[in-house]
Amino acid sequence: MNSPTEPSGSDLPEGLGLADHPLTANRLEKVTRLRSEGVDPYPVGYTRDASARELHDRFADLDADTTTGEEVEVAGRLMNLRRLGRLTFGVLQDYSGRIQLFADESGLGAPRLADFGDLDQGDWVWAKGEVMTTRRGELSVYLARFALLAKGLRPLPEKWHGLTDKEGRFRRRELDLLVNPDARRVAEARSGVVSELRRQFETRGFIEVETPVLQVLAGGALARPFQTHHNALGIDMYLRIATELHLKRLVVGGMERVFELGRVFRNEGIDATHNPEFTTLEAYQALADYRDIMQLMEEVIPAVAKRAVGTSRITYQGRQIDLRPPYRRAPMLDLVGEALDTSVTTATSVTRLRKLAEQAGVETDPAWGFGKLVEEVFDHRVVTGLWDPTFVIDHPIDISPLARRHRSKEGLVERFELFIAGSEYADAFTELNDPVDQRGRFEAQAAAREAGDDTAHPIDEDFLRALEVGMPPTGGLGIGVDRLVMLLTDQRTLREVVLFPHLRPR
């Protein structure tokens, strides 16, 4: 066992071999000794018939100092080992929780009791014995047999909760999950979010599909892509920045309700709410518009919350949020006008809007048009104040190249973004299905790209040809899955909800 003063395995100097440090060298010597005695330190063929959680649930009311006569087989990682006279106690951790192992000479015999005491924290162990409680009432497995399943050569951190190096936790997520219950809670909640999202769309008749990750053109969003090279085809390709255009081509092909849950990639910055690789759910529904999609979101979000954390009334960073409908609907121009303390409409000149933005402390670029200026003011002066679920609706047309023109408001599109607790969680449109209008929007984006905007949308001829076949009126939606997990598990940064976030190499 490690003594309390010994450094943990995560503290060993980088670059040292296992034989170069006394902690790991001692464990290597045990492996050599076991093999010399004919014992495989990494055997197979062992199973279990009970988990820690199952045992605690079944025997929750067992009195202290009680035997049950019921024998079980358990397996997991040995998290602690201590000797009290002729007794040895271990703490076994499996996927569901922890259970105590209780060993003495009567149960194991003296030689095997010594072998049990020679195990190390972090070893994977199988154990068989009777369920019982100690005199102090601790539910335990009284060992009749045990086996080492996998020798841990590197010690676990001693007191992970005392570490302040968060980056170390993210770099060594396997250790974080082993010794940090909250990390496991978040990982399990994420699984619940993904599972319930999928179920919500499948029960509404949506078909899950897969579209290419490698694409000749990176379309469907305004973002900078990652570029790679396809050797066999001899062409440059891009990691997808969105799944939108391929999904809408499927709608053209008669798949009237489709969705995809998967990774997208954007070669942009990293901060608390942005990661270059992230998970989205995109869905498209024929014969729907953005109002229908708002109603869909008001049904899906609280259902996912109930599955993941048991309630649709949550607490995030100390403040209450009620995810039950109805959600507020607020036009983007109205919110920007409130922030600038004046009316802003599509008739407001770019010159005046730029001056108002700069007076409000928003840095501007001379190349920005009306929509980009509105978006920048919104991002810098409005977003953080949107705490309760809010659909921000009706965006300027020049920042929404794939959305349908608004049926009654000139210069705007039928689009909404869902904001909660100062962050965006979804983006949705009544989809643009007029191929002539779409080509004109793409050409305007191409001009912006020529002027130096490397996030502008390229002209996608394959998508335009699909639209020319005819796409029905369609409502589309993209949900940021990582951010939704972050909200529901009360985390401040995406790094806590992505198991292996991107970090600069040491």
Side-chain angles (χ1 to χ4, degrees), residues 410-422:
E410 187 68 28
L412 303 180
V413 297
E414 295 189 354
R415 175 184 177 187
F416 76 78
E417 293 174 286
L418 173 61
F419 285 86
I420 309 171

mmCIF file with all atom_site columns, all heavy atoms in Angstrom, residues 410-422:
data_model
loop_
_atom_site.group_PDB
_atom_site.id
_atom_site.type_symbol
_atom_site.label_atom_id
_atom_site.label_alt_id
_atom_site.label_comp_id
_atom_site.label_asym_id
_atom_site.label_entity_id
_atom_site.label_seq_id
_atom_site.pdbx_PDB_ins_code
_atom_site.Cartn_x
_atom_site.Cartn_y
_atom_site.Cartn_z
_atom_site.occupancy
_atom_site.B_iso_or_equiv
_atom_site.pdbx_formal_charge
_atom_site.auth_seq_id
_atom_site.auth_comp_id
_atom_site.auth_asym_id
_atom_site.auth_atom_id
_atom_site.pdbx_PDB_model_num
ATOM 1   N N   . GLU A 1 410 ? -39.955 42.671 -43.873 1.00 0.00 ? 410 GLU A N   1
ATOM 2   C CA  . GLU A 1 410 ? -38.929 42.881 -44.895 1.00 0.00 ? 410 GLU A CA  1
ATOM 3   C C   . GLU A 1 410 ? -37.538 42.939 -44.255 1.00 0.00 ? 410 GLU A C   1
ATOM 4   O O   . GLU A 1 410 ? -37.327 43.580 -43.232 1.00 0.00 ? 410 GLU A O   1
ATOM 5   C CB  . GLU A 1 410 ? -39.208 44.178 -45.642 1.00 0.00 ? 410 GLU A CB  1
ATOM 6   C CG  . GLU A 1 410 ? -38.307 44.410 -46.841 1.00 0.00 ? 410 GLU A CG  1
ATOM 7   C CD  . GLU A 1 410 ? -38.582 43.425 -47.960 1.00 0.00 ? 410 GLU A CD  1
ATOM 8   O OE1 . GLU A 1 410 ? -39.742 42.942 -48.060 1.00 0.00 ? 410 GLU A OE1 1
ATOM 9   O OE2 . GLU A 1 410 ? -37.648 43.135 -48.728 1.00 0.00 ? 410 GLU A OE2 1
ATOM 10  N N   . GLY A 1 411 ? -36.582 42.258 -44.894 1.00 0.00 ? 411 GLY A N   1
ATOM 11  C CA  . GLY A 1 411 ? -35.192 42.307 -44.449 1.00 0.00 ? 411 GLY A CA  1
ATOM 12  C C   . GLY A 1 411 ? -34.850 41.331 -43.339 1.00 0.00 ? 411 GLY A C   1
ATOM 13  O O   . GLY A 1 411 ? -33.693 41.273 -42.901 1.00 0.00 ? 411 GLY A O   1
ATOM 14  N N   . LEU A 1 412 ? -35.832 40.561 -42.893 1.00 0.00 ? 412 LEU A N   1
ATOM 15  C CA  . LEU A 1 412 ? -35.604 39.597 -41.821 1.00 0.00 ? 412 LEU A CA  1
ATOM 16  C C   . LEU A 1 412 ? -35.912 38.186 -42.315 1.00 0.00 ? 412 LEU A C   1
ATOM 17  O O   . LEU A 1 412 ? -36.491 37.996 -43.385 1.00 0.00 ? 412 LEU A O   1
ATOM 18  C CB  . LEU A 1 412 ? -36.476 39.923 -40.604 1.00 0.00 ? 412 LEU A CB  1
ATOM 19  C CG  . LEU A 1 412 ? -36.311 41.311 -39.990 1.00 0.00 ? 412 LEU A CG  1
ATOM 20  C CD1 . LEU A 1 412 ? -37.247 41.476 -38.804 1.00 0.00 ? 412 LEU A CD1 1
ATOM 21  C CD2 . LEU A 1 412 ? -34.869 41.557 -39.570 1.00 0.00 ? 412 LEU A CD2 1
ATOM 22  N N   . VAL A 1 413 ? -35.503 37.203 -41.524 1.00 0.00 ? 413 VAL A N   1
ATOM 23  C CA  . VAL A 1 413 ? -35.792 35.804 -41.854 1.00 0.00 ? 413 VAL A CA  1
ATOM 24  C C   . VAL A 1 413 ? -36.545 35.154 -40.694 1.00 0.00 ? 413 VAL A C   1
ATOM 25  O O   . VAL A 1 413 ? -36.568 35.672 -39.576 1.00 0.00 ? 413 VAL A O   1
ATOM 26  C CB  . VAL A 1 413 ? -34.503 35.009 -42.137 1.00 0.00 ? 413 VAL A CB  1
ATOM 27  C CG1 . VAL A 1 413 ? -33.777 35.545 -43.354 1.00 0.00 ? 413 VAL A CG1 1
ATOM 28  C CG2 . VAL A 1 413 ? -33.584 35.008 -40.908 1.00 0.00 ? 413 VAL A CG2 1
ATOM 29  N N   . GLU A 1 414 ? -37.138 34.011 -40.995 1.00 0.00 ? 414 GLU A N   1
ATOM 30  C CA  . GLU A 1 414 ? -37.848 33.243 -39.971 1.00 0.00 ? 414 GLU A CA  1
ATOM 31  C C   . GLU A 1 414 ? -36.839 32.312 -39.284 1.00 0.00 ? 414 GLU A C   1
ATOM 32  O O   . GLU A 1 414 ? -36.594 31.181 -39.717 1.00 0.00 ? 414 GLU A O   1
ATOM 33  C CB  . GLU A 1 414 ? -39.009 32.470 -40.591 1.00 0.00 ? 414 GLU A CB  1
ATOM 34  C CG  . GLU A 1 414 ? -40.074 33.395 -41.154 1.00 0.00 ? 414 GLU A CG  1
ATOM 35  C CD  . GLU A 1 414 ? -41.333 32.665 -41.581 1.00 0.00 ? 414 GLU A CD  1
ATOM 36  O OE1 . GLU A 1 414 ? -41.348 31.413 -41.541 1.00 0.00 ? 414 GLU A OE1 1
ATOM 37  O OE2 . GLU A 1 414 ? -42.309 33.340 -41.955 1.00 0.00 ? 414 GLU A OE2 1
ATOM 38  N N   . ARG A 1 415 ? -36.281 32.819 -38.224 1.00 0.00 ? 415 ARG A N   1
ATOM 39  C CA  . ARG A 1 415 ? -35.216 32.115 -37.515 1.00 0.00 ? 415 ARG A CA  1
ATOM 40  C C   . ARG A 1 415 ? -35.365 32.371 -36.025 1.00 0.00 ? 415 ARG A C   1
ATOM 41  O O   . ARG A 1 415 ? -35.837 33.431 -35.623 1.00 0.00 ? 415 ARG A O   1
ATOM 42  C CB  . ARG A 1 415 ? -33.848 32.621 -37.993 1.00 0.00 ? 415 ARG A CB  1
ATOM 43  C CG  . ARG A 1 415 ? -32.645 32.058 -37.237 1.00 0.00 ? 415 ARG A CG  1
ATOM 44  C CD  . ARG A 1 415 ? -31.373 32.709 -37.726 1.00 0.00 ? 415 ARG A CD  1
ATOM 45  N NE  . ARG A 1 415 ? -30.207 32.237 -36.979 1.00 0.00 ? 415 ARG A NE  1
ATOM 46  C CZ  . ARG A 1 415 ? -28.966 32.730 -37.105 1.00 0.00 ? 415 ARG A CZ  1
ATOM 47  N NH1 . ARG A 1 415 ? -28.747 33.732 -37.953 1.00 0.00 ? 415 ARG A NH1 1
ATOM 48  N NH2 . ARG A 1 415 ? -27.971 32.249 -36.388 1.00 0.00 ? 415 ARG A NH2 1
ATOM 49  N N   . PHE A 1 416 ? -34.983 31.400 -35.220 1.00 0.00 ? 416 PHE A N   1
ATOM 50  C CA  . PHE A 1 416 ? -34.872 31.660 -33.788 1.00 0.00 ? 416 PHE A CA  1
ATOM 51  C C   . PHE A 1 416 ? -33.616 31.004 -33.230 1.00 0.00 ? 416 PHE A C   1
ATOM 52  O O   . PHE A 1 416 ? -33.117 30.010 -33.768 1.00 0.00 ? 416 PHE A O   1
ATOM 53  C CB  . PHE A 1 416 ? -36.106 31.176 -33.014 1.00 0.00 ? 416 PHE A CB  1
ATOM 54  C CG  . PHE A 1 416 ? -36.198 29.679 -32.793 1.00 0.00 ? 416 PHE A CG  1
ATOM 55  C CD1 . PHE A 1 416 ? -35.452 29.038 -31.806 1.00 0.00 ? 416 PHE A CD1 1
ATOM 56  C CD2 . PHE A 1 416 ? -37.073 28.908 -33.546 1.00 0.00 ? 416 PHE A CD2 1
ATOM 57  C CE1 . PHE A 1 416 ? -35.546 27.668 -31.596 1.00 0.00 ? 416 PHE A CE1 1
ATOM 58  C CE2 . PHE A 1 416 ? -37.179 27.539 -33.340 1.00 0.00 ? 416 PHE A CE2 1
ATOM 59  C CZ  . PHE A 1 416 ? -36.405 26.920 -32.364 1.00 0.00 ? 416 PHE A CZ  1
ATOM 60  N N   . GLU A 1 417 ? -33.116 31.586 -32.170 1.00 0.00 ? 417 GLU A N   1
ATOM 61  C CA  . GLU A 1 417 ? -32.082 30.971 -31.349 1.00 0.00 ? 417 GLU A CA  1
ATOM 62  C C   . GLU A 1 417 ? -32.632 30.879 -29.931 1.00 0.00 ? 417 GLU A C   1
ATOM 63  O O   . GLU A 1 417 ? -33.258 31.815 -29.433 1.00 0.00 ? 417 GLU A O   1
ATOM 64  C CB  . GLU A 1 417 ? -30.806 31.810 -31.350 1.00 0.00 ? 417 GLU A CB  1
ATOM 65  C CG  . GLU A 1 417 ? -30.102 31.869 -32.697 1.00 0.00 ? 417 GLU A CG  1
ATOM 66  C CD  . GLU A 1 417 ? -28.927 32.836 -32.678 1.00 0.00 ? 417 GLU A CD  1
ATOM 67  O OE1 . GLU A 1 417 ? -29.183 34.057 -32.673 1.00 0.00 ? 417 GLU A OE1 1
ATOM 68  O OE2 . GLU A 1 417 ? -27.777 32.370 -32.641 1.00 0.00 ? 417 GLU A OE2 1
ATOM 69  N N   . LEU A 1 418 ? -32.398 29.732 -29.292 1.00 0.00 ? 418 LEU A N   1
ATOM 70  C CA  . LEU A 1 418 ? -32.850 29.542 -27.916 1.00 0.00 ? 418 LEU A CA  1
ATOM 71  C C   . LEU A 1 418 ? -31.707 29.880 -26.969 1.00 0.00 ? 418 LEU A C   1
ATOM 72  O O   . LEU A 1 418 ? -30.622 29.290 -27.050 1.00 0.00 ? 418 LEU A O   1
ATOM 73  C CB  . LEU A 1 418 ? -33.299 28.099 -27.693 1.00 0.00 ? 418 LEU A CB  1
ATOM 74  C CG  . LEU A 1 418 ? -33.646 27.730 -26.242 1.00 0.00 ? 418 LEU A CG  1
ATOM 75  C CD1 . LEU A 1 418 ? -34.796 28.577 -25.710 1.00 0.00 ? 418 LEU A CD1 1
ATOM 76  C CD2 . LEU A 1 418 ? -33.976 26.239 -26.136 1.00 0.00 ? 418 LEU A CD2 1
ATOM 77  N N   . PHE A 1 419 ? -31.966 30.844 -26.074 1.00 0.00 ? 419 PHE A N   1
ATOM 78  C CA  . PHE A 1 419 ? -30.972 31.246 -25.078 1.00 0.00 ? 419 PHE A CA  1
ATOM 79  C C   . PHE A 1 419 ? -31.479 30.906 -23.681 1.00 0.00 ? 419 PHE A C   1
ATOM 80  O O   . PHE A 1 419 ? -32.650 31.112 -23.352 1.00 0.00 ? 419 PHE A O   1
ATOM 81  C CB  . PHE A 1 419 ? -30.684 32.745 -25.172 1.00 0.00 ? 419 PHE A CB  1
ATOM 82  C CG  . PHE A 1 419 ? -29.838 33.110 -26.356 1.00 0.00 ? 419 PHE A CG  1
ATOM 83  C CD1 . PHE A 1 419 ? -30.425 33.344 -27.590 1.00 0.00 ? 419 PHE A CD1 1
ATOM 84  C CD2 . PHE A 1 419 ? -28.458 33.199 -26.239 1.00 0.00 ? 419 PHE A CD2 1
ATOM 85  C CE1 . PHE A 1 419 ? -29.655 33.668 -28.699 1.00 0.00 ? 419 PHE A CE1 1
ATOM 86  C CE2 . PHE A 1 419 ? -27.679 33.515 -27.337 1.00 0.00 ? 419 PHE A CE2 1
ATOM 87  C CZ  . PHE A 1 419 ? -28.277 33.755 -28.576 1.00 0.00 ? 419 PHE A CZ  1
ATOM 88  N N   . ILE A 1 420 ? -30.567 30.362 -22.874 1.00 0.00 ? 420 ILE A N   1
ATOM 89  C CA  . ILE A 1 420 ? -30.835 30.061 -21.466 1.00 0.00 ? 420 ILE A CA  1
ATOM 90  C C   . ILE A 1 420 ? -29.562 30.371 -20.689 1.00 0.00 ? 420 ILE A C   1
ATOM 91  O O   . ILE A 1 420 ? -28.461 30.005 -21.121 1.00 0.00 ? 420 ILE A O   1
ATOM 92  C CB  . ILE A 1 420 ? -31.215 28.585 -21.246 1.00 0.00 ? 420 ILE A CB  1
ATOM 93  C CG1 . ILE A 1 420 ? -32.332 28.141 -22.193 1.00 0.00 ? 420 ILE A CG1 1
ATOM 94  C CG2 . ILE A 1 420 ? -31.620 28.345 -19.791 1.00 0.00 ? 420 ILE A CG2 1
ATOM 95  C CD1 . ILE A 1 420 ? -32.595 26.639 -22.163 1.00 0.00 ? 420 ILE A CD1 1
ATOM 96  N N   . ALA A 1 421 ? -29.717 31.060 -19.569 1.00 0.00 ? 421 ALA A N   1
ATOM 97  C CA  . ALA A 1 421 ? -28.576 31.357 -18.693 1.00 0.00 ? 421 ALA A CA  1
ATOM 98  C C   . ALA A 1 421 ? -27.429 32.020 -19.447 1.00 0.00 ? 421 ALA A C   1
ATOM 99  O O   . ALA A 1 421 ? -26.256 31.733 -19.210 1.00 0.00 ? 421 ALA A O   1
ATOM 100 C CB  . ALA A 1 421 ? -28.092 30.081 -17.993 1.00 0.00 ? 421 ALA A CB  1
ATOM 101 N N   . GLY A 1 422 ? -27.758 32.894 -20.388 1.00 0.00 ? 422 GLY A N   1
ATOM 102 C CA  . GLY A 1 422 ? -26.743 33.661 -21.087 1.00 0.00 ? 422 GLY A CA  1
ATOM 103 C C   . GLY A 1 422 ? -25.975 32.915 -22.157 1.00 0.00 ? 422 GLY A C   1
ATOM 104 O O   . GLY A 1 422 ? -24.925 33.389 -22.603 1.00 0.00 ? 422 GLY A O   1
#
